[in-house]
Amino acid sequence: MSLVSQHAMFRDAQRVGYALGSFNVVSLEMTYGVIDAAEELRSPVIVAVTDGHRDYYDFRALADGICAAADAASVPVGVHFDHGLTLGSISRALKMGFTSVMYDGDGSPWQQRLDETRAVTELAHGVDALVEGALSAQSREMTGNPTGDWALPPDDLVEEFLSATSVDILAIGEGTTALDPARVSAIANIPGVFSSLHGGSQLPDETLASMIGAGLGKCSVYNKIARQSMASAADYIQGGGQDLLQLGVAIRTGFAAGVAKELQRMGSAGHA
């Protein structure tokens, strides 16, 4: 199946009733761990790179490696640029072959966020890539809650955002957010719009299941899987391992084990 457009991936997930797993990586060991798990479980999957991790990798080298690994995979693989901070970094990701991008825009004034997100959409749609948008800053401002919790603002502002930007995916919250399945269901019923949840490491099984049942399109997970990969590497070293190549294998297998658990939680196993 290899590297594919995410339009069909999201439509199939919505039709069948599972969520796509999206996993951030900063190395090829992590990248192949994601794909290993997806191939083992015959699951579609999304490999993601976040702009916020840019100090930990060379973008061109990692992007080339991810796209090559995705293209050689036997299951559908999407490649996502997560939390893009500038139009320039997003444009670079699209030129490298990423099939979806997210514009963060956190902290931007409302009209600026609309304008900048729309510019990203026009750029991405020109190369058949999907765009994810977020409203986290507006939620904090409008609810008067400065703690950093991320939840959707009122329905009328969600509608204005979708109309003004034409994004394909709306980030509805984080794992710590008090999520309302009815809001997820309402978004799932908007033609051509899918929903995305970040911070899935913190989400209990029953909460994730209810969100998927309501139509959640994608869930992003990193911290929990990174910890499992680190534990795998630590076990190798503490067991007397001294081979750098085998340490890379431990990182890869640990990451794959963590991804496999999340793909099973999302119900996507067997749907590739």
Side-chain angles (χ1 to χ4, degrees):
M1 295 293 293
S2 71
L3 179 61
V4 297
S5 166
Q6 290 182 42
H7 293 275
M9 294 176 70
F10 273 94
R11 285 195 297 268
D12 188 69
Q14 188 176 63
R15 178 182 62 82
V16 177
Y18 61 87
L20 295 167
S22 180
F23 306 99
N24 282 310
V25 304
V26 295
S27 72
L28 290 183
E29 288 85 2
M30 296 164 74
T31 299
Y32 281 108
V34 173
I35 294 175
D36 288 347
E39 290 186 324
E40 177 69 23
L41 294 176
R42 307 311 302 166
S43 170
V45 75
I46 296 172
V47 180
V49 174
T50 181
D51 210 353
H53 288 166
R54 62 190 177 281
D55 292 339
Y56 301 95
Y57 58 81
D58 176 271
F59 180 78
R60 179 172 292 278
L62 183 59
D64 279 344
I66 291 173
C67 290
D71 201 45
S74 62
V75 295
V77 180
V79 179
H80 177 64
F81 188 63
D82 204 23
H83 291 287
L85 300 176
T86 67
L87 186 61
S89 64
I90 290 171
S91 176
R92 181 176 61 167
L94 292 169
K95 290 177 182 177
M96 294 297 294
F98 282 58
T99 53
S100 67
V101 294
M102 177 185 182
Y103 177 62
D104 195 294
D106 199 3
S108 300
W110 177 247
Q111 189 58 51
Q112 180 181 339
R113 175 175 287 219
L114 294 180
D115 294 342
E116 291 175 347
T117 305
R118 178 67 189 184
V120 170
T121 303
E122 291 174 352
L123 186 66
H125 286 180
V127 292
D128 197 33
L130 301 187
V131 176
E132 180 175 349
L135 292 169
S136 54
Q138 275 62 42
S139 174
R140 292 196 289 273
E141 293 166 4
M142 294 166 190
T143 60
N145 178 7
T147 63
D149 288 347
W150 188 10
L152 284 175
D155 288 340
D156 59 336
L157 290 173
V158 172
E159 292 172 6
E160 181 183 353
F161 181 79
L162 293 174
S163 176
T165 64
S166 296
V167 296
D168 310 284
I169 307 161
L170 183 64
I172 61 170
E174 292 178 333
T176 55
T177 306
L179 298 165
D180 180 1
R183 300 292 302 279
V184 178
S185 181
I187 292 170
N189 288 324
I190 300 174
V193 178
F194 306 99
S195 57
S196 168
L197 184 66
H198 291 250
S201 294
Q202 305 172 79
L203 209 61
D205 290 352
E206 60 274 14
T207 304
L208 178 59
S210 70
M211 294 298 106
I212 294 173
L216 180 68
K218 180 179 76 169
C219 184
S220 300
V221 184
Y222 173 73
N223 289 332
K224 182 164 59 174
I225 298 170
R227 287 192 295 268
Q228 181 157 347
S229 184
M230 290 171 63
S232 177
D235 287 345
Y236 172 72
I237 294 170
Q238 291 167 4
Q242 299 181 28
D243 187 326
L244 185 61
L245 298 177
Q246 289 303 313
L247 177 60
V249 172
I251 293 170
R252 175 174 173 169
T253 55
F255 211 79
V259 169
K261 290 179 182 178
E262 295 306 311
L263 293 177
Q264 289 169 331
R265 287 212 306 155
M266 294 178 204
S268 61
H271 292 294

